[in-house]
Amino acid sequence: SDTEISELIQTGIKELPEKCREIFVLCKQEGLTYEELAAYLHISEKTVENQMSIALRKLREHLYPKLQKLLLLLFFYLFY
C-alpha cells in the first residue's frame, strides 16, 4: 500500500548519514536547488551533488529488496 511504501521511504531517509539526510531533505522535501543548498550550508555544489548521490544510492539499497517483495506479493494477489 501507499502507506507501507511511504513508511519504507521515511525509514530509509532516517537511516541516512546525518549530512546526506540533511541535504536530501532540503533538496527533495523542501525544494532547494543544489546551488541554494551549497550557499545555505556553506559547501560546494560538488559536495551537494556527491552527498545526494550517496543518499540516493543508500535509499535504493534500502528500498530495493523490500519493494521487490511488495511487488511480488501484489503480483500474486492480482493474478492468483
Side-chain angles (χ1 to χ4, degrees), residues 61-75:
E61 290 168 356
H62 172 80
L63 294 173
Y64 185 72
K66 294 163 180 73
L67 290 178
Q68 256 187 328
K69 289 177 188 174
L70 283 175
L71 290 174
L72 191 59
L73 289 172
L74 178 63
F75 176 81

Side-chain angles (χ1 to χ4, degrees), residues 25-57:
V25 168
L26 289 171
C27 182
K28 295 297 184 184
Q29 294 179 344
E30 301 298 325
L32 272 66
T33 65
Y34 285 13
E35 183 180 358
E36 292 168 332
L37 275 166
Y40 177 71
L41 297 173
H42 307 289
I43 58 177
S44 72
E45 283 186 58
K46 189 68 176 168
T47 299
V48 172
E49 185 179 315
N50 289 338
Q51 291 295 309
M52 281 297 294
S53 293
I54 292 167
L56 292 170
R57 186 186 77 242

